């Protein structure tokens, strides 16, 4: 049974909208590299924008994607050895293969041109070795945003563990995942610990048959709570930097922000946006290819103009980078779907537009 048939058409559309929106968020987060490349000093207005938008709102892409992935996966999960084997083969094709392919392409660019701008160079590659760049073991992979696929693949491999926890100690399991994320030091670990909490939360919602639209009557308070959390963590970062307690503010902001964003998609202007829905089919390809496209656009900017000062200039430059990168990658996806569908299918793990 297809997973999407198990959710209502409205929920399915909201998932598709989020696929597009969150990839835009991902590109927006990484567009800050353009500011780092050209600005010697960050004006106060631009710094406030960076703190609120890329550092917090846009970073909701990670927890929301983990939550949706866990939820959709466990809607049809079967705890048998045969089903597990089929699942591993499928996830290897749809997640691990694109992960390795696009890392290999970027490694090839580094070997040919001695660097991929703002991503890596031949010296780092020789020092750490091709295998670490390819697999992303105890470091970011060659295409650094693809760390999410690496972690997601591992969590799928651990699916039986999450399943057993959801059966034996469902709510205590969620508390345990929260505690691991909150209090286990992230430094030196191979996986992003937030994934444990949000992937398991999605698993729990699916296993318990949670009504994803059940909080609609609390939309205003839920969004208000998200804004309060956003304001608190932004205030701390802007005025105090990153004190020892910052991570507690930030991680709870991710929880409340995820809730707020989901509630926002309940409004038709967002959750049924025809524009965002029309782009959802190729959003995974945009995610796979936005680096190194974004980095090359940042590098090429110097030949056109030099955005070196001013808050509005910085904000406008980041917006331009985000829109241009998304447009270029979407255009490439359209060309491949139209003229080389087999290539597109292979590159995206046999996904269809």
């Amino acid at each position: 049974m297809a997973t999407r048939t198990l959710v209502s058409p409205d929920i399915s559309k909201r998932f598709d909208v989020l696929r597009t929106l969150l990839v835009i968020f991902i590109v927006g987060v990484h567009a800050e590299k353009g500011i780092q490349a050209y600005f010697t000093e960050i004006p106060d207005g631009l710094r406030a924008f960076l703190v609120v938008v890329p550092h917090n709102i846009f970073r909701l892409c990670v927890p929301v994607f983990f939550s949706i992935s866990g939820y959709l996966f466990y809607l049809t999960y079967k705890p048998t050895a045969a089903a597990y084997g089929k699942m591993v083969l499928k996830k290897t094709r749809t997640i691990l293969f694109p992960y390795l392919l696009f890392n290999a392409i970027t490694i090839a660019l580094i070997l040919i041109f001695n660097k991929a701008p703002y991503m890596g160079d031949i010296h780092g590659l020789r020092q750490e070795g091709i295998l670490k760049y390819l697999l992303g073991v105890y470091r970011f992979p060659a295409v650094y945003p693809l760390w999410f696929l690496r972690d997601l693949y591992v969590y799928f491999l651990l699916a039986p563990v999450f399943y057993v926890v959801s059966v034996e100690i469902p709510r205590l399991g969620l508390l345990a995942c929260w505690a691991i994320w909150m209090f286990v030091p992230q430094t030196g670990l191979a996986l992003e610990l937030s994934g444990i909490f949000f992937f398991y939360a999605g698993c729990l919602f699916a296993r318990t048959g949670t009504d994803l639209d059940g909080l609609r009557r609390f939309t205003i308070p839920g969004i208000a709570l998200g804004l309060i959390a956003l304001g608190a963590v932004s205030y701390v970062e802007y005025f105090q930097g990153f004190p020892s307690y910052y991570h507690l503010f930030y991680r709870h902001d991710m929880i409340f922000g995820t809730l707020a964003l989901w509630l926002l998609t309940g409004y038709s202007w967002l959750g049924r946006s025809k524009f965002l829905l029309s782009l959802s089919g190729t959003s995974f390809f945009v995610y796979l290819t936005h680096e190194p496209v974004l980095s090359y656009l940042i590098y090429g900017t110097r030949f056109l103009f030099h955005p070196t000062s001013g808050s509005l200039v910085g904000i406008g430059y980041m917006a331009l980078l985000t829109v241009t990168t998304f447009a270029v990658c979407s255009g490439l996806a359209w060309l491949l779907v139209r003229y080389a569908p087999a290539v597109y299918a292979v590159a995206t793990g046999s996904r269809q537009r």
Side-chain angles (χ1 to χ4, degrees):
M1 181 181 294
T3 302
R4 288 302 186 94
T5 62
L6 299 178
V7 298
S8 69
D10 178 66
I11 297 296
S12 183
K13 286 183 179 179
R14 289 163 72 178
F15 283 158
D16 285 338
V17 162
L18 283 170
R19 284 171 59 188
T20 303
L21 186 64
L22 297 178
V23 170
I24 294 172
F25 282 8
I26 292 171
V27 179
V29 167
H30 301 141
E32 186 180 346
K33 292 198 305 181
I35 303 300
Q36 297 167 351
Y38 293 106
F39 277 66
T40 55
E41 293 185 9
I42 307 297
D44 289 343
L46 177 56
R47 189 160 70 90
F49 171 80
L50 294 175
V51 166
V52 174
V53 182
H55 294 183
N56 286 285
I57 295 176
F58 283 176
R59 287 185 182 176
L60 289 173
C61 57
V62 171
V64 177
F65 265 138
F66 271 129
S67 300
I68 293 175
S69 298
Y71 178 79
L72 291 176
F73 176 72
Y74 280 97
L75 281 178
T76 57
Y77 180 75
K78 295 180 180 179
T80 66
Y84 181 80
K86 291 180 180 179
M87 181 275 292
V88 171
L89 289 175
K90 179 180 179 181
K91 299 306 181 185
T92 297
R93 185 187 77 245
T94 60
I95 295 178
L96 184 61
F97 178 76
Y99 172 79
L100 296 175
L101 174 64
F102 284 93
N103 280 328
I105 291 172
T106 297
I107 290 170
L109 290 174
I110 295 174
L111 290 172
I112 294 170
F113 300 106
N114 290 325
K115 69 176 182 179
Y118 311 113
M119 294 181 70
D121 58 33
I122 193 66
H123 302 294
L125 184 62
R126 287 172 176 169
Q127 182 178 1
E128 298 201 51
I130 289 177
L131 201 58
K132 279 191 175 182
Y133 270 61
L134 180 66
L135 299 178
V137 179
Y138 289 102
R139 59 152 288 136
F140 283 122
V143 184
Y144 62 92
L146 299 190
W147 69 263
F148 177 84
L149 293 184
R150 174 200 64 194
D151 287 17
L152 187 61
Y153 183 73
V154 171
Y155 290 135
F156 282 133
L157 294 182
L158 295 173
V161 177
F162 289 110
Y163 174 79
V164 170
V165 172
S166 72
V167 171
E168 299 296 333
I169 49 170
R171 291 175 178 79
L172 182 59
L174 186 64
L175 180 61
C177 291
W178 172 85
I180 290 171
W181 178 34
M182 290 294 154
F183 303 113
V184 174
Q186 179 68 57
T187 305
L189 297 181
L191 299 176
E192 165 59 46
L193 293 178
S194 66
I196 293 177
F197 175 78
F198 288 104
F199 187 81
Y200 178 74
C203 163
L204 190 60
F205 293 156
R207 295 276 305 129
T208 57
T210 301
D211 179 9
L212 296 185
D213 215 20
L215 293 177
R216 183 183 287 270
R217 64 185 182 277
F218 300 113
T219 294
I220 299 301
I223 293 174
L225 184 60
L227 290 174
I228 291 170
L230 172 63
V233 73
S234 298
Y235 178 88
V236 171
E237 181 180 344
Y238 186 84
F239 290 103
Q240 301 179 37
F242 302 97
S244 58
Y245 57 84
Y246 170 81
H247 76 282
L248 292 175
F249 277 71
Y250 173 75
R251 292 172 187 180
H252 285 93
D253 174 44
M254 292 297 99
I255 295 174
F256 297 130
T258 296
L259 171 64
L261 183 58
W262 175 250
L263 291 172
L264 274 174
T265 63
Y267 291 106
S268 59
W269 58 267
L270 179 60
R272 297 183 182 180
S273 167
K274 292 182 179 179
F275 175 71
L276 294 176
L277 284 170
S278 69
L279 296 172
S280 66
T282 54
S283 59
F284 183 63
F285 183 85
V286 174
Y287 165 67
L288 290 171
T289 58
H290 82 276
E291 284 286 22
V293 170
L294 173 63
S295 290
Y296 277 110
L297 288 174
I298 294 171
Y299 183 80
T301 298
R302 68 194 64 196
F303 302 110
L304 300 175
F305 60 97
H306 293 82
T308 56
S309 63
S311 294
L312 291 180
V313 170
I315 294 170
Y317 180 51
M318 286 186 62
L320 179 63
L321 286 173
T322 301
V323 171
T324 304
T325 300
F326 199 97
V328 169
C329 295
S330 294
L332 178 59
W334 182 84
L335 289 173
L336 289 176
V337 168
R338 185 174 179 85
Y339 298 107
V343 174
Y344 179 84
V346 170
T348 56
S350 299
R351 285 174 170 82
Q352 300 298 319
R353 185 183 184 279

